Amino acid sequence: MRENLLAYGFLAPSLLLFAVFLFYPMFKSVYLSLHSTDPTGQIAAYVGLDNFKAVFQSGLFLQGMKVTLLFVLFTVPTGILAALILAALTHNRFKGMRLFQFVFSLPVVLSVGSSAVIWKFLFHPTLGMLNYLLSKVGIDPIPWLTSPDWALVSISIMTIWMNLGFNYIILSSGLQGIPDEIYESAKIDGAGPLLTFRKISMPLLSPTLFFVTVVSIIGAFQSFGQINILTRGGPMDSTNVFVYSIYQEAFVNFRFGTGSAQALILFAVIMLLTLIQFKWVERKVHYQ
């Protein structure tokens, strides 16, 4: 009995934080999604599932999910592949490799706001470094953030760079956890670097890759800061991902009921995708 009380005492701070910052907002969202609100955010009337019907009938769901899925498709595979290549290249303990490991890990210490400001200067149509470098090789300037064809690509490039530090650190740790004896045995058997990476590193790294994939997909669906700073959902809604649509609906248009309904729909989509990954993708994972 005393041990149980002591255990609950240690868990109390965490339970309090979960209750205030996780469970209460979730229950509040469910409550708001079933009501309409006035412009001040006060409950006006009970409307049942009308807010959910309004989201689907207005096209907000389809448009937001279309942009969000494109954003996930652009950022997640490319970000993981880039981090995996860099982690493999810096896995060897050559002299000076620590410098490259530091440089590749650096984005993880920058906030979304700081990263977005840096890339806003880089994407500048006339003063930006990217268009300057393109002009040196004879390529016309690109309207990175002002063209509907380029805005989502530009946001994706910035997001891939921003997530590179986290993915690189996790995958590098996974590679370092593979015993050296396995590599030495493969080398004695005559296996080359590519065959060793494909037949040994990738299977043993699959749990780490699975973790990075799940976290990256959830993070991509929740991306907001860089879009709010760089494009504000534009131009022509080309970067209006589902989370930014929730922000506009709730905190710009002050329709908290519809915004809460969108938030719950997004929660259901992320949970469904995560369950699918654990159901189907985890079968490919090789646990030692």
Side-chain angles (χ1 to χ4, degrees):
M1 183 66 181
R2 184 179 176 184
E3 290 181 353
N4 289 338
L5 289 175
L6 188 62
Y8 283 117
F10 284 121
L11 288 173
S14 298
L15 293 175
L16 180 63
L17 290 175
F18 275 118
V20 173
F21 295 107
L22 183 62
F23 298 122
Y24 173 73
M26 183 177 292
F27 289 126
K28 187 71 175 180
S29 295
V30 174
Y31 177 73
L32 287 173
S33 69
L34 301 175
H35 295 77
S36 63
T37 56
D38 61 23
T40 63
Q42 301 300 316
I43 299 297
Y46 174 77
V47 296
L49 298 177
D50 287 353
N51 286 327
F52 293 92
K53 295 177 183 175
V55 171
F56 288 106
Q57 291 174 353
S58 67
L60 286 174
F61 175 75
L62 290 178
Q63 174 62 24
M65 287 310 300
K66 177 185 173 184
V67 177
T68 304
L69 290 175
L70 276 175
F71 179 70
V72 172
L73 190 63
F74 287 162
T75 57
V76 174
T78 311
I80 294 176
L81 182 62
L84 180 62
I85 292 173
L86 294 177
L89 291 176
T90 56
H91 179 56
N92 296 316
R93 298 183 179 87
F94 294 140
K95 187 177 181 181
M97 201 58 73
R98 291 284 184 187
L99 176 62
F100 290 99
Q101 292 174 343
F102 170 75
V103 171
F104 297 146
S105 305
L106 195 58
V108 79
V109 303
L110 295 175
S111 66
V112 177
S114 302
S115 302
V117 171
I118 292 171
W119 280 89
K120 195 168 189 176
F121 283 109
L122 293 175
F123 285 136
H124 194 280
T126 56
L127 304 176
M129 181 63 72
L130 296 180
N131 278 345
Y132 172 77
L133 294 175
L134 291 177
S135 68
K136 290 297 181 184
V137 294
I139 299 177
D140 293 334
I142 294 175
W144 296 101
L145 299 175
T146 55
S147 166
D149 297 328
W150 280 99
L152 189 62
V153 176
S154 305
I155 295 288
S156 300
I157 293 172
M158 180 257 170
T159 304
I160 290 170
W161 175 83
M162 193 175 65
N163 295 337
L164 183 64
F166 175 79
N167 292 343
Y168 172 77
I169 290 173
I170 298 297
L171 292 175
S172 292
S173 302
L175 283 175
Q176 290 174 6
I178 300 175
D180 292 336
E181 292 79 9
I182 299 178
Y183 288 119
E184 291 172 2
S185 299
K187 192 174 181 180
I188 292 172
D189 292 338
L194 290 178
L195 185 62
T196 302
F197 185 77
R198 188 163 61 89
K199 293 291 186 180
I200 295 177
S201 299
M202 286 299 290
L204 296 179
L205 195 62
S206 57
T208 310
L209 279 170
F210 178 66
F211 168 75
V212 170
T213 302
V214 172
V215 172
S216 298
I217 290 177
I218 293 175
F221 269 92
Q222 296 176 337
S223 295
F224 170 77
Q226 64 270 42
I227 294 166
N228 185 41
I229 295 173
L230 293 178
T231 61
R232 295 185 180 275
M236 298 174 63
D237 289 337
S238 59
T239 60
N240 192 13
V241 295
F242 207 71
V243 170
Y244 194 77
S245 177
I246 294 171
Y247 163 75
Q248 284 186 312
E249 195 70 7
F251 300 105
V252 177
N253 301 326
F254 296 105
R255 290 195 283 262
F256 293 98
T258 314
S260 298
Q262 286 183 267
L264 292 175
I265 293 171
L266 179 63
F267 169 75
V269 170
I270 293 176
M271 187 173 67
L272 179 63
L273 287 176
T274 305
L275 290 175
I276 290 174
Q277 290 176 81
F278 274 92
K279 179 71 176 177
W280 302 105
V281 181
E282 197 183 21
R283 293 181 178 179
K284 306 293 183 183
V285 175
H286 174 77
Y287 293 104
Q288 294 186 54

